[in-house]
Amino acid sequence: MSESEPTAHPAPLFFEHGASWYWVLFGPVAAALLVAIQNSGGYGVQPLFPVLLALLVSAMLAVQVKAARIHTSVELTADALRQGTETLRLSEIVMIFPEPGRPTGWRKPQPEKWQEARALGELSGVPRRRVGIGLRVTGRRTVQAWARDHRRLRAALAELVPDAVPPGGLVVPDLDGPQE
């Protein structure tokens, strides 16, 4: 018997879709609301405009969801981190920066140096509703990985690249807490 070749991709250790296909259902929901408005106005049901509305809204949302699933998805495997369409090999990660400190007063805290670095992926910055994770990569470059569940991604990266965790750990302790 011959051994099977590994043709399948390795199972992801962390994965986030960019967007949900449920958004496309707003087209039929909008059409149903239009039918209800037509019916309550005493005009009867005229199916041309609700069907046209459902198709147009669903088509526009499908394009946006497809783009979000391409450009804002995150996948971490045992050897690579994919952010959108950019892939970073884990062997290139030299250090994982600690989380930024929490604001302690009324003023907004100064951003850490790594928070101004280039975000991975082809987007101009960290996507909305996602949090950046500072990474030092080979060549003394600093980049930002990002995810919705950034703490889980940070923990998974720390497990895969244990040498990249700074001596203080991943989370900077609160200075206001009890000192022991």
Side-chain angles (χ1 to χ4, degrees):
M1 297 200 136
S2 66
E3 293 183 30
S4 62
E5 295 182 23
T7 57
H9 295 285
L13 304 171
F14 178 85
F15 186 76
E16 284 184 353
H17 297 289
S20 173
W21 284 109
Y22 288 120
W23 286 100
V24 178
L25 293 177
F26 276 117
V29 168
L33 288 173
L34 184 57
V35 167
I37 290 170
Q38 283 179 348
N39 215 11
S40 69
Y43 296 106
V45 177
Q46 299 171 359
L48 176 63
F49 291 114
V51 168
L52 189 61
L53 178 70
L55 290 175
L56 287 175
V57 170
S58 292
M60 287 188 298
L61 287 172
V63 169
Q64 289 181 334
V65 167
K66 180 65 176 169
R69 289 179 77 88
I70 292 171
H71 299 291
T72 62
S73 62
V74 179
E75 182 179 11
L76 176 66
T77 61
D79 57 343
L81 170 66
R82 183 183 58 78
Q83 304 250 247
T85 58
E86 185 176 352
T87 302
L88 176 70
R89 289 190 319 263
L90 294 183
S91 61
E92 295 179 31
I93 297 176
V94 176
M95 185 175 112
I96 302 170
F97 287 99
E99 286 188 47
R102 294 184 184 168
T104 57
W106 290 98
R107 287 181 283 168
K108 203 173 184 182
Q110 289 291 329
E112 301 283 336
K113 273 282 220 210
W114 62 263
Q115 289 177 308
E116 297 172 352
R118 178 184 80 84
L120 291 173
E122 67 286 337
L123 300 174
S124 62
V126 175
R128 287 177 31 173
R129 292 185 290 282
R130 283 141 179 98
V131 177
I133 299 170
L135 301 175
R136 169 73 48 90
V137 293
T138 56
R140 295 196 49 85
R141 296 176 298 143
T142 302
V143 296
Q144 285 189 73
W146 41 264
R148 282 190 175 139
D149 190 358
H150 64 99
R151 288 191 174 95
R152 204 175 94 205
L153 177 60
R154 183 183 293 274
L157 281 170
E159 279 184 28
L160 292 173
V161 191
D163 298 335
V165 179
L170 287 177
V171 179
V172 177
D174 289 336
L175 298 177
D176 298 335
Q179 301 293 324
E180 296 179 50

